[in-house]
Amino acid sequence: RLTTFARAQIQPLDAGGRRTLIASRLRDAGRIDEVVETLGGMDVPDIIGSPFLLSLLINVFNENGEIPSRRDLLYREQVRWVLRRAAAKDSASGLVKSLRAEELVEVGLEFLECLAFVCHLDLKTRDFSLTDDALRRGLTREWQRHGASLEAIQAWIFEGG
């Protein structure tokens, strides 16, 4: 079935494309020049050239009113933004009912940090399967959160509740 699709490669955004994307996603139109100038002074061509990553960056800016100064902070805030949206949309989950939305976001972030730790430092891999016994043992060993069960947070992150 997928053979009917033509292969395409997304090219990096040029300055005009960046400005157009920023203008279309930024809540405060009065800050477009400020954001464009700030991004122009940053050495992050992979982020500002990617429509996806630039969109995430603008989402973080819309929420926090500033662009994080370090890449790790940007990625952390991007993940928080995604988790906040998921928590806001998911009112039926048992976790959503037992935790405030912001607590759920923090527990979700802690779980993803735990998952990254086990994958990268313990298993030495970037790819994983939730059915992998070594991964499950590592997550069980490393999970320190008492307010949410490992199974519940894992289900919320990967299965939507």
Side-chain angles (χ1 to χ4, degrees):
R1 288 183 157 175
L2 294 179
T3 59
T4 60
F5 290 97
R7 184 175 177 170
Q9 183 174 359
I10 297 175
Q11 297 298 312
L13 293 168
D14 61 11
R18 282 193 299 274
R19 185 175 190 80
T20 299
L21 181 71
I22 291 166
S24 72
R25 299 196 57 95
L26 196 62
R27 282 190 206 134
D28 184 353
R31 297 186 75 183
I32 293 171
D33 290 333
E34 172 193 348
V35 171
V36 168
E37 185 176 313
T38 300
L39 292 176
M42 297 174 71
D43 186 24
V44 288
D46 55 323
I47 293 175
I48 65 173
S50 163
F52 174 70
L53 293 176
L54 183 56
S55 292
L56 289 176
L57 184 144
I58 297 304
N59 292 337
V60 168
F61 183 85
N62 281 335
E63 186 141 329
N64 299 341
E66 63 184 17
I67 296 170
S69 59
R70 296 189 338 245
R71 185 180 294 261
D72 64 308
L73 297 175
L74 172 61
Y75 290 151
R76 175 179 287 275
E77 289 306 312
Q78 288 173 338
V79 171
R80 270 198 179 99
W81 180 83
V82 170
L83 292 173
R84 278 188 194 107
R85 283 188 52 141
K89 288 181 180 180
D90 185 12
S91 60
S93 165
L95 275 176
V96 173
K97 291 177 182 176
S98 67
L99 298 172
R100 291 186 347 263
E102 198 55 36
E103 288 175 317
L104 181 59
V105 168
E106 292 307 311
V107 171
L109 191 60
E110 288 175 25
F111 170 78
L112 292 171
E113 289 171 343
C114 180
L115 176 63
F117 177 84
V118 171
C119 285
H120 294 288
L121 298 176
D122 192 11
L123 303 178
K124 311 256 188 276
T125 185
R126 65 183 185 105
D127 301 319
F128 65 91
S129 168
L130 293 175
T131 61
D132 181 287
D133 287 335
L135 176 69
R136 290 196 313 216
R137 283 192 306 273
L139 286 173
T140 300
R141 181 187 68 243
E142 297 298 328
W143 185 245
Q144 301 290 322
R145 184 73 180 187
H146 299 293
S149 76
L150 176 61
E151 294 77 18
I153 192 65
Q154 184 174 302
W156 182 71
I157 294 283
F158 291 108
E159 301 164 20

